[in-house]
């Protein structure tokens, strides 16, 4: 009997740990930031620069813009579909490079991580972007 109780106890403790790991925790931000930084460096940095300040007349800054800090669906759509034709204007400056679409190069998780990263770097502070949110926008755009 004692053995059964002990086994049960171990099971309860183990499952408590399992449940805890699935809960969204502040630690998730740190992990997403680390992964997002890797994606940023490989995919976005060449244009938007290490400090997120972009390049005048070519690539816009990612510092406190309404796209970076604003509606997450619109932001996800920019990364999935790209942009061209100088649609973006920041402080009277327009940007003449095309922003390449990433729908076939980045996974939902990578897009969520890189957007969480830019929303919490370069002086920005905004909520996390989840994989589910990217998935939902991607499904609608098809
Ligand atoms: C080849 C250069 C290039 C790359 C690579 C690139 N972008 Fe862009 N990005 C641009 C340009 C140019 C625009 C503006 C396009 C326009 O106005 O038509 C833009 C616009 C944006 C905007 C909206 C405007 C703003 O500054 O707030 C965001 C957000 C953004 N890019 C994020 C990213 C992220 C995240 C990545 C990496 C996954 C990335 N970009 C990769 C060139 C690039």
């Amino acid at each position: 009997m004692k053995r059964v109780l002990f086994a049960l106890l171990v099971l309860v403790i183990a499952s408590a740990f399992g449940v805890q790991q699935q809960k969204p925790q502040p630690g998730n931000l740190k992990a997403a930031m680390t992964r997002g930084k890797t994606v940023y460096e490989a995919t976005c940095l060449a244009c938007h620069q290490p400090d997120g300040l972009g390049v005048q007349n070519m690539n816009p800054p990612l510092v406190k813009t309404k796209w970076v800090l604003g509606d997450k669906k619109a932001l996800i759509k920019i990364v999935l579909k790209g942009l061209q034709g100088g649609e973006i204007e920041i402080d009277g400056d327009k940007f003449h490079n095309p922003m390449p679409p990433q729908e076939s190069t980045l996974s939902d998780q990578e897009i969520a991580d890189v957007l969480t990263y830019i929303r919490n770097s370069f002086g920005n502070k905004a909520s996390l972007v989840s994989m589910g949110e990217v998935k939902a926008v991607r499904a609608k755009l098809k």
Side-chain angles (χ1 to χ4, degrees):
M1 187 61 191
K2 259 192 186 162
R3 240 184 233 173
V4 174
L5 277 180
F6 182 70
L8 265 177
L9 192 71
V10 169
L11 212 91
V12 167
I13 292 172
S15 60
F17 267 106
V19 168
Q20 246 200 340
Q21 277 174 356
Q22 282 163 18
K23 269 194 211 156
Q25 289 175 336
N28 284 356
L29 174 62
K30 220 174 152 196
M33 289 294 282
T34 307
R35 293 191 306 263
K37 185 171 194 277
T38 309
V39 179
Y40 184 82
E41 287 173 351
T43 321
C44 325
L45 177 144
C47 291
H48 292 286
Q49 301 298 297
D51 53 9
L53 286 175
V55 180
Q56 204 178 16
N57 292 321
M58 290 179 71
N59 310 307
L62 302 176
V63 181
K64 296 182 181 162
T65 73
K66 66 177 183 195
W67 295 275
V68 174
L69 297 179
D71 178 42
K72 289 197 236 178
K73 284 189 190 127
L75 179 61
I76 293 166
K77 194 176 158 206
I78 289 177
V79 174
L80 282 170
K81 290 288 177 189
L83 278 174
Q84 52 183 310
E87 284 142 84
I88 303 286
E89 190 177 326
I90 297 169
D91 294 334
D93 200 1
K94 287 200 167 202
F95 307 94
H96 301 294
N97 253 356
M99 157 101 183
Q102 304 294 342
E103 60 183 337
S104 55
T105 47
L106 295 182
S107 68
D108 294 342
Q109 185 69 63
E110 287 168 325
I111 292 175
D113 291 340
V114 78
L115 292 181
T116 295
Y117 176 75
I118 64 168
R119 281 163 66 85
N120 292 281
S121 301
F122 322 129
N124 298 328
K125 187 117 197 68
S127 60
L128 281 72
V129 176
S130 73
M131 194 176 100
E133 286 171 311
V134 179
K135 200 173 176 178
V137 174
R138 200 194 281 268
K140 274 207 182 144
L141 291 177
K142 268 186 192 151

